[in-house]
Amino acid sequence: MSMLPITAAKPYLFILLVDQIEKARDAVAEANRKLANATAALEAKPDDADLKKDVDEGEKLLSDAYEELDRLEAELSETPDQPVYRLRVPSFDINAAFEEALVRLPTYPGDRKLFRAIEASGLIPSDDPDFLAVKEALKKSGGGVPEELSGTFQDLYERADNSEAVRDIRAARLRFTKDVARLRTTHYLLGFEGVRDLDGDLVPFLAENGYPTTATLNAIPPEDIAAIGEKVQELNSLRGRGGNSRRGVKSSASPQPSQPSPTDTVTETVEIQTTL
């Protein structure tokens, strides 16, 4: 995979489907590596049942990875006119502005708040072993429910889901998650090309005071909003800044109880290649 260095001086061109293909190719490479290691180990110990199982699992993993890659590449071949999003590369100042706006959102209701709503619902007996286990864990923990009790907490949540207070927490978590995704896109999206409305007409990118307008944000498919947020977080990491691929095309489930409190258009042309 050829990569170009990422710099805050130039926008990052993000094409969701191309990004998915690149990651699928990484998954194929990793599956190949694991299978090669398992095969080599089995050759050294041909009678080892565990190693035979590792090889079988490796072959399945590789097959699944190729299947996903083929599916994505076929989708790109059938619909090469993909939206291109022009993103700000995260910097200290941009991140600070986003984080300042973030703290102005309503606070994410954490595990303790949800547990209090479950407790107040009266739908779980106070001597229920699972209830007591989670209650004790929250007393000892400085944060949320520990990972080993996440399934137990999920069960309590589902048993008390008929409570209006518990549903209020669920709704607040959904609102927070969507608000963060929208806020992140507002701060890091500079422009787009190829976004279409329901009638198939191209949507212009409009901005006010350097930020996309509400109508502009509403024109972006929800899955692309989520993907932009994930890409921005990836670019914030050292791993995500390893390179900037410019190859591509021309221009609501219930949250889990212990989930974390997650101006111009693009004019540059990026041409599709047979091998991304």
Side-chain angles (χ1 to χ4, degrees), residues 3-48:
M3 305 295 278
L4 300 175
I6 292 176
T7 168
K10 293 185 66 176
Y12 182 94
L13 298 188
F14 176 60
I15 306 162
L16 175 55
L17 187 53
V18 172
D19 191 69
Q20 290 172 329
I21 289 173
E22 291 179 348
K23 288 175 178 174
R25 289 187 169 172
D26 288 343
V28 167
E30 178 64 12
N32 259 316
R33 185 191 65 80
K34 289 183 176 180
L35 178 57
N37 289 342
T39 301
L42 182 60
E43 288 175 353
K45 296 181 179 179
D47 297 326
D48 191 308

Side-chain angles (χ1 to χ4, degrees), residues 109 157 165-177 255:
Y157 166 77
V166 172
R167 289 187 173 184
D168 285 345
I169 298 294
R170 171 186 172 184
R173 287 186 166 194
L174 285 170
R175 283 195 301 271
F176 183 88
T177 300

Side-chain angles (χ1 to χ4, degrees), residues 43-54:
E43 288 175 353
K45 296 181 179 179
D47 297 326
D48 191 308
D50 289 336
L51 292 177
K52 288 180 181 178
K53 182 179 178 181
D54 289 345

